[in-house]
């Protein structure tokens, strides 16, 4: 669209046709709903309200898939809209105050906004992430984690449990969705910033614990991740992930080239293929066998 971008990503929970169809229906329903509401999105507050309605439409699109909820899949969903920030000074000032608090307490956000011309308003349920590449500072920001560390959330623990996605749409229990970690987010953006959405199938490859790294490998005084306070573990995992992402996106020589969306996709894809090669080879050579629980080797 000329003055807006609608973006969404859904990841089916578990394997098979049910979760796949749930993810397809979720993204289709979300996109169609937001597209039909474009003319009404005058500011970020209105956009946030319509996002919640779009998530509701996505959930019901999944539920209507089958009369038997036990055969219907579930899916995580992240979706939002990028809008011009004109006439939205109140939202901008509020976010800037939040950023100031974040920088004063946590030295993890390397991005300091100088001039905001766009707002990315999005919502998420589950474990997909919204990441931002700053062309000016050549750094990566996890937009969901940014919100967590500026507003204490009760949804931190699921981030430390790879088997729990934190929430999902579709008939999770008695036909109802799991909305434990659902929230609405607002991120001011600068010209040249690149926003990209990823599922856990991507960002798990940047998790130090799932890469076989122990806390001491990351400079922490603990032998196991579960021995750390949850907030300490989450913050240091975040630092590891964003630093590794920056290295991958910049490339091995870091020649300060202009980073493009296609370059980000290709470099992350190449990295993930290299990281997952041992486990993929094991599955191909040992069909039907479980993968050994050794993150360092697999």
């Amino acid at each position: 669209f000329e003055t807006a971008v609608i973006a969404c990503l859904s990841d089916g929970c578990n394997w098979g046709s049910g979760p796949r169809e749930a993810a397809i229906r979720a993204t289709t329903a979300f996109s169609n709903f937001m597209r039909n509401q474009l003319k009404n999105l005058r500011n970020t507050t209105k956009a946030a309200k319509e996002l919640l309605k779009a998530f509701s439409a996505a959930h019901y699109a999944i539920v209507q898939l089958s009369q038997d909820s036990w055969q219907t899949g579930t899916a995580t969903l992240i979706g939002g809209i990028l809008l011009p920030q004109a006439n939205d000074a109140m939202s901008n000032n509020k976010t800037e105050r939040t950023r100031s608090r974040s920088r004063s307490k946590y030295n993890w956000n390397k991005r300091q906004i100088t001039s905001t011309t766009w707002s990315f308003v999005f919502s998420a349920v589950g474990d997909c992430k919204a990441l931002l590449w700053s062309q000016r500072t050549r750094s990566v920001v996890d937009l969901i984690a940014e919100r967590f560390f500026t507003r204490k959330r009760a949804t931190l623990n699921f981030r430390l449990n790879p088997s729990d996605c934190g929430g999902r749409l579709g008939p999770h229990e008695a036909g109802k969705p799991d909305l434990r970690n659902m929230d609405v987010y607002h991120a001011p953006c600068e010209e040249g910033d690149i926003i990209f959405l990823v599922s856990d199938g991507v960002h798990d490859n940047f998790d130090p614990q799932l890469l076989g790294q122990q806390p001491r490998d990351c400079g922490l005084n603990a032998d196991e991740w579960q021995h750390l306070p949850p907030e300490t573990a989450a913050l240091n995992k975040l630092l590891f992930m964003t630093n590794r992402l920056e290295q991958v996106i910049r490339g091995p020589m870091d020649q300060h080239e202009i980073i493009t969306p296609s370059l980000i996709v290709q470099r992350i894809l190449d990295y993930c293929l290299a990281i997952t090669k041992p486990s993929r080879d094991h599955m191909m050579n040992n069909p039907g066998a479980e993968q050994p629980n050794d993150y360092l080797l697999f």
Side-chain angles (χ1 to χ4, degrees), residues 163-218:
S163 65
D164 182 4
C165 65
R168 64 187 72 188
L169 299 181
H172 175 62
E173 288 185 359
K176 297 180 180 180
D178 176 4
L179 305 179
R180 279 174 297 153
N181 73 333
M182 186 176 181
D183 210 338
V184 179
Y185 306 84
H186 168 248
C189 306
E190 298 176 289
E191 289 289 337
D193 286 351
I194 299 173
I195 295 170
F196 53 108
L197 310 179
V198 298
S199 71
D200 63 324
V202 173
H203 66 71
D204 277 353
N205 293 295
F206 295 86
D207 185 316
Q209 184 176 4
L210 300 182
L211 292 174
Q213 300 286 312
Q214 297 302 325
R216 293 192 187 279
D217 299 324
C218 300

Side-chain angles (χ1 to χ4, degrees), residues 94-110:
K94 180 179 178 181
T95 303
E96 283 303 305
R97 290 196 297 271
T98 300
R99 287 184 187 281
S100 296
R101 290 198 300 271
S102 173
R103 288 193 296 267
S104 64
K105 188 169 183 179
Y106 301 102
N107 187 26
W108 64 274
N109 189 344
K110 290 159 282 191

Side-chain angles (χ1 to χ4, degrees), residues 66-122:
S66 172
Q67 294 182 350
D68 185 355
S69 63
W70 293 103
Q71 295 181 0
T72 304
T74 58
T76 64
L77 177 66
I78 185 169
I81 184 166
L82 184 69
L83 295 168
Q85 206 174 51
N87 302 321
D88 207 19
M90 182 179 297
S91 178
N92 184 38
N93 290 339
K94 180 179 178 181
T95 303
E96 283 303 305
R97 290 196 297 271
T98 300
R99 287 184 187 281
S100 296
R101 290 198 300 271
S102 173
R103 288 193 296 267
S104 64
K105 188 169 183 179
Y106 301 102
N107 187 26
W108 64 274
N109 189 344
K110 290 159 282 191
R111 186 173 72 122
Q112 294 189 8
I113 298 296
T114 57
S115 61
T116 59
T117 53
W118 297 87
S119 288
F120 183 54
V121 187
F122 68 101

Side-chain angles (χ1 to χ4, degrees), residues 53-75:
K53 296 178 184 178
F55 269 67
S56 179
H59 168 70
Y60 284 110
I62 297 174
V63 173
Q64 293 169 3
L65 181 61
S66 172
Q67 294 182 350
D68 185 355
S69 63
W70 293 103
Q71 295 181 0
T72 304
T74 58

